[in-house]
Amino acid sequence: MAAGSFEGQYVWSPAADDRALARACMDVRAGRYFSAHEVLKEAREDFELRAHRSLVLASVAADSDLAERWLAEEPGPEAALLWARVAMLRALRMADAGDRRQGALARIAQAACERAAKELPEDPTPWVAQLALARLDRHQDPAPQGLLTAPTGPWYLFAHILRLDSWHREAHHRFLSYYFTRNGGSSGASWDVAAFLSQRAPVHSPLRLLPLVALVEDYNPSALLADRTWEQPQWISTAMGIYRNWFPRVADYRFTPVLDLAYLAHALFMAKHEFEAREVFTAMGPYASRMPWSAFGDPAEQLTRARRSCGLPVPHGT
């Protein structure tokens, strides 16, 4: 992995330094799908990359008819996957907007996911898309032993995905988000699930970040000493453990894991561990993600404040 040096401006593209994905996104915007086919097919054996690429491409394609047209003109596993991802995003957007069409779009998305799963049965990505849709109908599967709040949810679907890929990053994040308060869950359940999932993950896994994700999600700026939460020993220990065990492995990544690095850098900065935060920011190069910064205000302003505090360059004129 080589993120590149910071040259004065943030790069907010979710494709980051995946050049092939960035080119495919440009082609999708132009109404062409050949490059999308190539980058998804190339990632068939890398489920993490296939999930990421399909989600980024879908976010570009969701406002056009490209996915439908591709599926009609050249059906196959990659076309079916992009259609499933696009249908998923549309259904979730309608649900978040309270649009009365959400039910119909959710049924379309479910059918699209089922079709994609049949096209390439070993690929967990269509099932992860179904997991994202689970919050629309509030699954009631019983939780396994070991959770204090025993929260019901889409446990059976999650277990199926784990049989395909035990440590699938997006699956874990989607499952955790099911329990967020804004998605119909509760603060207690999200804390419980974040702890449960992170503790069962290997010590060098980025899934150890899940409690930090829940911490940002639960952030309440009006609470007493809210910004001092990250200075508590348990959160310093969590962030430093990830810094020591996972962060050194990032150098071997094929592409920069921008979002995970952002959560780690944010936690270290908030815990006043600027030296370690500086290293993480440096590993990110110019690439930036809106989360977790947008939970605290304007993401560019919050990121700039953190980088400046760590003695790093910031965009010109800020």
Side-chain angles (χ1 to χ4, degrees):
M1 181 206 74
S5 61
F6 183 79
E7 297 181 355
Q9 294 297 328
Y10 300 134
V11 178
W12 297 96
S13 168
D17 50 353
D18 186 341
R19 308 300 184 197
L21 176 58
R23 288 192 296 270
C25 287
M26 292 179 62
D27 282 351
V28 167
R29 290 189 184 96
R32 300 185 294 266
Y33 53 74
F34 178 75
S35 295
H37 175 270
E38 292 301 299
V39 297
L40 291 178
K41 185 176 180 180
E42 189 260 340
R44 280 190 185 182
E45 304 301 318
D46 186 337
F47 296 145
E48 296 286 347
L49 184 59
R50 188 170 170 87
H52 173 68
R53 284 179 167 179
S54 63
L55 186 59
V56 172
L57 289 167
S59 68
V60 177
D63 295 324
S64 73
D65 68 347
L66 180 133
E68 295 96 321
R69 182 162 49 82
W70 181 8
L71 192 63
E73 293 174 359
E74 296 186 27
E78 283 62 53
L81 178 59
L82 187 67
W83 167 233
R85 290 296 230 171
V86 163
M88 175 204 82
L89 287 179
R90 290 174 181 169
L92 294 176
R93 288 176 183 177
M94 288 297 102
D96 291 341
D99 194 294
R100 58 186 175 81
R101 295 170 292 175
Q102 64 173 299
L105 289 177
R107 289 189 291 274
I108 291 171
Q110 183 67 32
C113 292
E114 291 171 359
R115 174 173 179 171
K118 290 178 181 177
E119 289 275 359
L120 208 63
E122 66 271 22
D123 180 12
T125 316
W127 298 98
V128 175
Q130 290 188 55
L131 186 60
L133 296 167
R135 66 178 171 88
L136 303 184
D137 56 14
R138 305 308 301 174
H139 290 223
Q140 299 296 317
D141 307 336
Q145 292 184 346
L147 286 95
L148 294 175
T149 59
T152 59
W155 289 97
Y156 298 155
L157 176 56
F158 185 52
H160 176 74
I161 296 169
L162 298 189
R163 285 193 288 271
L164 295 172
D165 186 0
S166 299
W167 310 115
H168 196 283
R169 182 196 176 281
E170 186 184 341
H172 282 75
H173 281 265
R174 292 287 186 187
F175 189 72
L176 174 59
S177 71
Y178 177 93
Y179 296 97
F180 289 165
T181 303
R182 60 182 163 89
N183 290 333
S186 69
S187 180
S190 65
W191 284 116
D192 202 6
V193 170
F196 177 77
L197 296 181
S198 67
Q199 288 166 9
R200 63 182 293 275
V203 69
H204 56 265
S205 170
L207 297 177
R208 291 279 176 152
L209 283 158
L210 289 170
L212 298 180
V213 175
L215 189 61
V216 170
E217 181 67 24
D218 210 40
Y219 174 71
N220 178 6
S222 64
L224 184 65
L225 301 177
D227 288 349
R228 303 292 295 272
T229 301
W230 285 262
E231 297 177 42
Q232 295 176 11
Q234 70 180 100
W235 299 120
I236 293 175
S237 177
T238 298
M240 289 300 295
I242 297 164
Y243 170 78
R244 287 191 298 267
N245 296 305
W246 171 69
F247 179 61
R249 293 173 173 252
V250 170
D252 298 326
Y253 274 46
R254 186 175 171 190
F255 303 112
T256 307
V258 177
L259 186 57
D260 287 337
L261 287 171
Y263 272 99
L264 177 56
H266 171 266
L268 291 168
F269 163 68
M270 295 292 282
K272 301 193 182 310
H273 280 253
E274 285 90 352
F275 175 81
E276 292 84 359
R278 179 188 175 96
E279 285 194 66
V280 179
F281 280 127
T282 301
M284 294 170 66
Y287 302 108
S289 62
R290 302 200 178 276
M291 286 296 288
W293 312 106
S294 61
F296 302 83
D298 178 81
E301 291 177 2
Q302 295 296 316
L303 177 56
T304 293
R305 182 172 72 92
R307 286 181 61 93
R308 184 178 282 126
S309 178
C310 294
L312 290 169
V314 299
H316 305 308
T318 63

